Amino acid sequence: MRQTRALATFGAIVFIALIASLSHLNSDDVSSYIPQKAQNYFHYETPPDSEEISRLNGILEEFLSRPVLSYDDAVSMNSQTCPVNGTNYDRGAVDGNVKTWADIPSSQIYAWRKGITTNLRRKQIEAIGKSSSSSLSNADVPGMEKKIKRGIVMAAGDRHALIRARTSLRLLKSYNCTLPVEIFHFDSELSAPALSSILSDLKELQNPDSGTNGINVTMRVVGDVSKGSGWKDFQIKGAAIQQSSFDDILYLDTDSYPLRNPEYLFEGREWRDTGLLLWPDYSKSHPTNPMWRLLGQPCRNEYEGESGQVMISRTRHQDILWLIEYFALHHEEFYGFMGGDRDSFRAAALLLGKPWTGPGRMNAVGAAKIPRSSQSGGHTMLQADPYGKWMFVHANLIKHSHFEKPLWSQVHRIRDDSFKEGTTYGNIDSPNDKIGEGVKLDVAVNPRLVTSMSTFDGYDEDLVVVEDWDSYEELKGFEEKWFGFGSVH
């Protein structure tokens, strides 16, 4: 412990000395010291103080010093905290990576930790160099941007994603949302002539209508990541969030449609307490996942993270954003056991010892009505706000299948789906750790991609509740708006 504190103090002295050494540089010196692309990435208005430097340095030293368990030892330990019987975990990922995960040597785990630590230290040094020039005028420092307090970030570059983004933004405009929006895309996208009409529609959103304000929409190219050849380009999300010009950020997948103006979420106690709101997925953590060896922590009996929407304060969590971007830039190494980008936010928060808040109840399923199969037909992740009211219609499967209208007829949910009063997702105290026990969500591929919610053998069937979509006031009329604002199915 004394050695860790001594190292942290020494690191603080080094960083403070660096600030002093940079303070005499003029704008040209600063520009040459920090790479041009990096100048747009750092958003400290003032340099990190010695306490913040010591805090992060101490966390990283402790992180590096954690024992690297063998696969067998890690699974043995994690099995004590993360039961698998009656638990809905990602069977496709777990069963498909048995050998791959078991074969990861301890040397690789340590190399990953070392890379993470080196990157975060470098980012902090660059941030200090960046902020040391803050007294200079923006005109004197190439790449310097004026930071906007709050805003929405999205990622969309192909026609289908842009149509979804247009629908989501039209919904937001109808709610009189005033948050500016930045939509990131790869530099190889948006050149097709067929996209011009959609881009024109997005531009027109800034014009106020009768009774509604306009929304300022900016298209931006994401830096340092390129479009891949896979099914999805998860890596754009983490980089886009970090590279945005906002301090308080709401990230939205283009298929995560808000049910009302989300600005109130920035005013709630949950945001004030943590500055970080995460939403859960349907699957729970599994003892064999290499993420726990990487973190050097026991497995948490908790639902994995889902990143259809994320709220994060840059001022309070710049270190998380650096780490999220690092995972994105090295997605070939990390996304295989983080479910793409979806659990990388939770992993970053856990690594850095930062609590989060989230919804007040677990996800439900939005579903079409399937004859003779009342618990099937699921295609939408229904996600709540911190107070348990449905907030986001995350239609993540509907774009891969076809259904007859009405698309949204039912809600399938866990019977006891609320977190303990006064708590949200992110709290694993009893009875929160028991939410969803005995309930599973199966995904069928043929004849279409669809989910069904049911119970494991030996559990009561009434653990799953099937309700009418319109039984919730906040869901009424959504489908009509969805089609009315230009969605296609």
Side-chain angles (χ1 to χ4, degrees):
M1 180 64 72
R2 290 180 180 176
Q3 183 180 15
T4 298
R5 289 176 179 168
L7 288 169
T9 303
F10 175 75
I13 294 171
V14 171
F15 283 128
I16 293 169
L18 178 62
I19 295 173
S21 69
L22 288 171
S23 62
H24 70 280
L25 296 178
N26 60 35
S27 61
D28 292 335
D29 292 328
V30 173
S31 298
S32 62
Y33 181 79
I34 305 174
Q36 179 64 37
K37 284 187 177 181
Q39 291 182 35
N40 293 324
Y41 290 6
F42 307 116
H43 299 258
Y44 277 114
E45 298 300 329
T46 57
D49 59 26
S50 59
E51 182 178 350
E52 170 62 18
I53 292 169
S54 295
R55 184 198 67 81
L56 181 56
N57 219 33
I59 287 173
L60 295 178
E61 288 294 339
E62 193 274 333
F63 171 60
L64 270 183
S65 69
R66 293 173 188 170
V68 179
L69 299 183
S70 68
Y71 174 80
D72 290 339
D73 287 345
V75 172
S76 177
M77 179 183 72
N78 292 333
S79 297
Q80 304 301 311
T81 54
C82 287
V84 296
N85 293 330
T87 297
N88 189 63
Y89 59 84
D90 188 343
R91 281 165 170 75
V94 172
D95 296 343
N97 287 284
V98 172
K99 187 176 188 309
T100 300
W101 291 353
D103 287 346
I104 298 175
S106 295
S107 58
Q108 179 62 71
I109 299 293
Y110 185 78
W112 283 338
R113 291 187 189 179
K114 190 71 174 176
I116 288 169
T117 302
T118 300
N119 177 73
L120 289 177
R121 285 172 172 161
R122 179 175 61 84
K123 289 291 190 180
Q124 194 169 55
I125 291 172
E126 290 174 338
I128 294 169
K130 175 75 169 179
S131 58
S132 69
S133 65
S134 61
S135 60
L136 302 173
S137 68
N138 288 356
D140 292 335
V141 183
M144 180 75 77
E145 299 178 7
K146 179 177 176 59
K147 306 304 177 292
I148 302 171
K149 180 63 175 173
R150 290 175 178 169
I152 296 172
V153 175
M154 306 177 85
D158 62 68
R159 180 176 181 274
H160 296 294
L162 286 169
I163 289 174
R164 294 193 296 269
R166 182 183 63 185
T167 298
S168 189
L169 295 180
R170 283 173 172 172
L171 282 166
L172 286 167
K173 185 176 181 180
S174 75
Y175 306 145
N176 219 15
C177 178
T178 61
L179 296 173
V181 180
E182 291 180 347
I183 301 178
F184 283 79
H185 60 92
F186 295 110
D187 59 4
S188 60
E189 296 176 317
L190 300 190
S191 59
L195 300 180
S196 59
S197 64
I198 304 175
L199 294 174
S200 178
D201 290 342
L202 293 175
K203 186 175 181 180
E204 288 180 6
L205 286 168
Q206 64 187 342
N207 300 324
D209 298 326
S210 57
T212 63
N213 297 311
I215 293 181
N216 182 32
V217 180
T218 303
M219 306 300 296
R220 295 190 57 181
V221 176
V222 67
D224 284 350
V225 291
S226 57
K227 189 174 179 64
S229 57
W231 181 44
K232 291 185 178 182
D233 289 297
F234 296 110
Q235 67 273 17
I236 191 174
K237 185 181 301 184
I241 294 173
Q242 163 59 7
Q243 294 171 27
S244 75
S245 64
F246 306 130
D247 283 332
D248 293 346
I249 300 161
L250 167 60
Y251 176 85
L252 283 178
D253 274 354
T254 57
D255 57 4
S256 185
Y257 304 101
L259 288 165
R260 53 193 169 276
N261 188 341
E263 292 180 79
Y264 76 98
L265 296 174
F266 287 110
E267 307 299 334
R269 174 181 61 83
E270 293 74 19
W271 174 259
R272 293 195 304 271
D273 286 350
T274 65
L276 179 63
L277 269 66
L278 303 178
W279 276 260
D281 206 329
Y282 294 119
S283 55
K284 273 198 164 185
S285 296
H286 194 271
T288 62
N289 193 310
M291 190 175 86
W292 304 111
R293 295 179 68 199
L294 171 65
L295 296 179
Q297 300 176 13
C299 179
R300 284 168 62 96
N301 188 10
E302 176 178 62
Y303 286 92
E304 295 173 329
E306 198 283 319
S307 55
Q309 57 281 324
V310 173
M311 292 180 64
I312 186 166
S313 164
R314 185 186 303 279
T315 304
R316 298 168 69 175
H317 302 300
Q318 178 61 78
D319 48 0
I320 288 181
L321 290 175
W322 285 332
L323 187 48
I324 290 299
E325 185 184 44
Y326 182 79
F327 288 148
L329 297 179
H330 300 270
H331 57 275
E332 297 93 344
E333 299 177 68
F334 299 109
Y335 278 8
F337 54 84
M338 292 183 180
D341 63 84
R342 65 179 176 85
D343 208 22
S344 64
F345 294 84
R346 185 177 70 124
L350 288 172
L351 190 156
L352 294 166
K354 293 193 165 184
W356 67 89
T357 48
R361 70 192 305 179
M362 262 303 293
N363 308 329
V365 174
K369 187 175 291 185
I370 304 297
R372 298 178 298 280
S373 185
S374 63
Q375 294 174 333
S376 184
H379 51 59
T380 290
M381 184 176 283
L382 198 55
Q383 295 168 304
D385 67 10
Y387 319 109
K389 189 174 182 180
W390 301 124
M391 178 63 200
F392 298 102
V393 178
H394 188 185
N396 53 344
L397 294 186
I398 202 169
K399 57 183 177 284
H400 302 298
S401 301
H402 181 75
F403 299 89
E404 298 296 327
K405 293 182 181 179
L407 304 181
W408 289 279
S409 296
Q410 296 179 329
V411 173
H412 306 160
R413 66 175 181 86
I414 299 166
R415 183 189 63 196
D416 303 314
D417 61 354
S418 294
F419 291 92
K420 184 172 63 175
E421 185 176 358
T423 69
T424 68
Y425 173 60
N427 181 300
I428 58 173
D429 294 340
S430 181
N432 291 343
D433 59 338
K434 300 296 185 182
I435 291 177
E437 183 177 347
V439 177
K440 62 179 178 176
L441 191 75
D442 293 315
V443 181
V445 177
N446 292 314
R448 55 189 162 189
L449 197 58
V450 68
T451 68
S452 60
M453 183 179 283
S454 60
T455 57
F456 288 99
D457 291 342
Y459 288 86
D460 293 338
E461 292 183 0
D462 65 359
L463 290 176
V464 174
V465 177
V466 177
E467 300 168 320
D468 289 336
W469 179 267
D470 285 344
S471 65
Y472 293 92
E473 193 65 32
E474 63 265 36
L475 300 180
K476 289 180 179 178
F478 171 77
E479 183 165 334
E480 182 180 358
K481 290 181 181 178
W482 191 75
F483 279 113
F485 286 142
S487 283
V488 179
H489 181 69

